[in-house]
Structures are given as structure tokens and as C-alpha cells.
Amino acid sequence: MAASSRSKAGRFVKKSVAERNSRGTENLLRSHAKKKEAKEQRTFIHEVGRRVVDLTTFAKNMWCDACGEVLSLSHMEKEVRRGLASVFYVRCRVCLELKQVPTDSAVKHDDGYPLYSVNCKAALGCLDTGIGHEQINSWLTAVNIPAIMHSTIKRAERFVGPAVEEVARESCRDAIQEEKELTLQSQKRPLAPSDAQNRCDVGETPKKRRPCSSQQEDENVATRVPKSRFYCSSTANKLRVAAAVCQKNRGAAHVVEINQKCGLSPGGVTMKYRKLAEERRQKKCALQQTVQFRRRRLLLKGNADRVSNRVVAREGLTYVSGMGNTMERAVAAATDTFGSWMPLQKPLEDHCQFVIVDIETTGFGAGAQIVQVAAKCQMLEFSQYMMPTTSFNHIASEKTGLSVHGGQLMYNSKRVDTSPPAQVARDFMDFLHKCGQQVILVGHNIVRFDAPHIVKWLHQFGVTAEFCDLVYGFTDTVPIIRQGKVQKQDLLAQQYLTGPEWQHLVKGAHNAATDCVLLSGLLEHFNIEHDIMRGNALPIRTFFERQQAAKRRHITRDEKEWYGTVWD
Ligand SMILES: [Zn+2]
């Protein structure tokens, strides 16, 4: 006990310290013994497995330097592994000289560590196929070939990387040159579609690619930089995108070009296989251009669509690409609107007044916002602008002449006064009250376009109940005044309101206030009786019922079908 309670220097120490010291020593001794035992037990054959050998190099090295006798692997004493390559230490059975036999040729030596071409080619293969270190080791060990260390494959990757990028850059330059020539030629004759389209674009040079790819993007990049493995922040991302560009521009044979560029042998097997692959790709490409192929593809797509539509009809929508947007709409459809609330339908009264209503919006879809509300009831007129919080659809903006510049709402490049939406809603309701005890809103395509927008807008300010109390329903003038195929209001106005007093108004079509006056003029022109307008009115309860039914089906169909896109 006394001996063990002293330190190495012979000083007395605490018992706990002495015990710790002795434990450390024991562990060290044990591990030394284990290593020694393992070394003694290690017979080369047990863990030999398989190796990747360059047969030419190996055969050249299997001769004794001293006596010229052929060497035998059965006299191998040691193996030093360098990634996929190995150096065998073989003793000559004649002169007993120990010879180092590498299984592969080295391309360069850094700090005494040779870099073997098989490792460089493995790194290039990883870039080309899009697999990483983990995947290549899984594959190798499955074939019973020893795994490569991460540092080895990285070192090889850094060696081939510049060549990959160089080839990618060259291929892009060639593609630009080719495109230039084709463009020049196309000024003389129409451009052959197959040539230019099959090349990587100028914008796709390796430096300009986005850092991560998705399935929708170019499949070449998606294969090499898959989302499932994180390469975005590493230098490998750049190399992998460059490899994708090479594949796109140069085809499968780009590997041979890269091999030559970084001083590796082109590889007979590589060349043969890549050439065949390239031929296969070109054949497939040519086949895909044929009319028969395209017809069949459309047929199969149609069949698949029918099957999926049947499934959707049976089970509801389970998945679509861009699901997030759909889910948002589904949630909005479920929560945003009026729930199960239904207005009570009041009977139609004799003194019911007709109010012509028109709105201008930022766009065509359900998400568009109202910018202008106008109404007209005999001599009473109402028109107010609101500042939208979403941007304008450029087609809608062009039609209406409304746009936002520098935080101001402009109508035909002139600033117009806007009011807060809540104020406009209040004023609009006050205007309707002024028109009569009960009103029918009249508009061109009002049921599909204006009414849903107006109801949604008023709902935000809590006046839906008041609105439904006042409004009997909506009369759509499209079926009443359409003349054969001519049904758009601006076309009808152009054709039938030819008097000089209409001229300046017809030019101002697509302003809500002007449109109200024009519609009033058209109704007058066609002598539409009030009874016809009453008979065509869609009661507000029916309108709400239709809206709710539409919302229930909303998620399975495109919203365009439910919120009309016809511009009145
Ligand atoms: Zn010898």
C-alpha cells in the first residue's frame, strides 16, 4: 500500500490521486498488450478482401529490382493502403530483397504522400454520379473493398476540381459561341430548335447557379447536388454544379476530357462506356423529338391524369406539388369566410331600386384587391378609390389605367385621392341606403366577379349583415344585353353607343365610374324593362349558398373557375 501511495517522483500523494495514476498506467499497458496481440495475430489473408488494381502498372512492378526474378503475392509481408490504391511489400524468394509494389500509378507527391490516380478517378466519379463519401464507402464495403478515408477523397477532389471547373467554363464558352453562330444563321433561316436548346445556358455558368437545387430545376444539378445531402455551404457545391454543367454541355464523355486535363490516363474502359452512353443519350433524344413519341407521351399523360382525377374525386386531394399554397387556400377557404352563416332572404319589394355597380381591382384572381368602387342609381353617383396593399397585375393595370407610383395611386398617370377602405365601405353602405329601402345591384358579370369581391371586402369591416339586409340580390347584365358573341361591355359600348355624347365615355371604358354610366346607357339603349332585371336577379341567399358550395370544391379545382376571370 505504501508504495502505491507515492507519485512517480516518489513524493507521497493522496490515495485517490495514487489510484487514478495506477488506473491510467494499467489502461495504457492493457491497450499496448492488445495492439501487440493484434499485430501478431494479423495474418494478411484474413482482412484482405478485394482491391482495385491497375493491372498494367501492377504487372510492371511485380519483378524484383535486384535479381530480376518475378515476385509472388504469397510472399507479401505488409500492405500500406492509400485510399483505393495499395502498396504491397513483397519479399523476393531468390535474393530476399523486400520490394514495394504499388497497385496504381501516382499522379503527384505532396509531402511524401503520393496521390494515386484511382483515388482521383473515384473523386471524379463521386462528382459525376452525385454520391458523397458515405455512399461510396457503403458501396465499397458492400463489395468487400476497404473504405476510403474522408481526407483522402477530399484531397483527390481538390486535385480534380480545377479541371472540372475549367471544362465547365470551356463548355459554356463553346455553347455561347455556338448560340451566337446559330443566331447569326437564323437571321437567314429559321433556327433549328434542337441545337441551341440542348445546351446549358449562359446564365448557368457554375458561379451563377443557385446554391441548392430542387427537383424542378435542371435534373442534372438535382442529381449531383441533391437536397437530401447538404453541399450548399461547401466547396463541393461549386464542383458538383460544374460537373452538372459538363454533363449538360459535353455529354457523358466529359469525364475523359477531365481525366486528360488533370494528367490522368483517359481510361480505355471509361472511354468505351462513355461513348456508348453518349450514343444512347443521343438516340433517346432523337426519339423524343419524333411526332409518334410525343403523341404517345401525351396519351400516357392523359391516362395518368384521368386516373389521378378519379382518385382525387374519390379520396380528395392528397398531394400536389406546391402543396403549401394549396394548403393555405384550403385553410383560408375553411376559416377566412363566413363559416356557415347565411343571410335571410327578404321578399322582393315593389319599390326596389336598381343600383349599377362596378369595381376595378389589382388583378383577376381571388386574391385581387378592390381599388375603385363606383355605383350609379338614376342621378345619384358614387365613386371612390382605395390604396391596394398588393401589387397590380400588369395586364389589369394596363386595362384600368390604374397603378401605384411612389406610394400614390395613379389613374392614367394622374394622382387620384384615395380613402381608407373602412371609410369607403361605410360611405358605400350609406350610398346604398340613400338609393332606397331595398336595392338590387346590377353589373356586367357581377355575379362571378364584382359581387364576390364586394362581399369579401365588406366582410372585413363587419357590414355583411347590413349589406345583406339591404340588398335583395344581383342582376348580371351579360345574359340580358349580350348580342350574339359580343358580350364584353366595352365592345358593346363601342358598337351601340355611337352618339357624340358617348364618344369620350367609350374611350374611358375600364374606369368603374365610366363603366357604370356606359352600362346605364346600354340598358337604356336596349330598352331593358325593370321586370326583366327583376326576373334575372340572383337572390343574395342563393348567391351565398353558391359561394359556399364553390369554396367546398375550391381546393380540388383551380380558383379561376370559381372566381370568374372575365373582365367586364
Ligand atoms: Zn530478387
Side-chain angles (χ1 to χ4, degrees), residues 39 48 51 86 102 132 146 153 162 168 207 250 252 295 307 309 313 359 401 418 433 452 500 519 525:
K39 207 173 181 180
V48 74
R51 294 290 181 278
S86 300
I153 200 125
K207 282 188 177 171
R250 290 279 204 260
R295 265 195 203 132
V307 170
N309 284 347
I359 57 167
T418 55
H433 278 296
L519 186 58
H525 175 86

Side-chain angles (χ1 to χ4, degrees), residues 301-316:
K301 189 176 177 294
N303 289 349
D305 283 354
R306 268 194 291 284
V307 170
S308 75
N309 284 347
R310 267 207 299 279
V311 172
V312 165
R314 205 168 51 232
E315 298 174 4

Side-chain angles (χ1 to χ4, degrees), residues 219-233:
E219 62 183 55
N220 282 317
V221 180
T223 323
R224 286 163 182 79
V225 197
K227 271 180 175 177
S228 57
R229 294 195 287 280
F230 182 71
Y231 291 116
C232 305
S233 69

Side-chain angles (χ1 to χ4, degrees), residues 64-69 71 91-97:
C64 177
D65 291 336
C67 67
E69 184 64 38
L71 299 173
R91 194 162 301 273
C92 174
R93 64 196 162 125
V94 179
C95 67
L96 302 180
E97 185 83 13

Side-chain angles (χ1 to χ4, degrees), residues 357-361 370 372-374 449-451 453-454 512 567-568:
V357 177
D358 192 35
I359 57 167
E360 302 303 337
T361 56
I370 301 181
Q372 187 191 9
V373 186
F449 187 76
D450 303 50
H453 278 295
I454 290 173
W567 196 262
D568 60 337

Side-chain angles (χ1 to χ4, degrees), residues 9 66 97 128 152 162 168 219 308 341 368 483 566:
E97 185 83 13
D128 188 36
T152 309
E219 62 183 55
S308 75
W341 183 80
Q483 302 295 312
V566 181

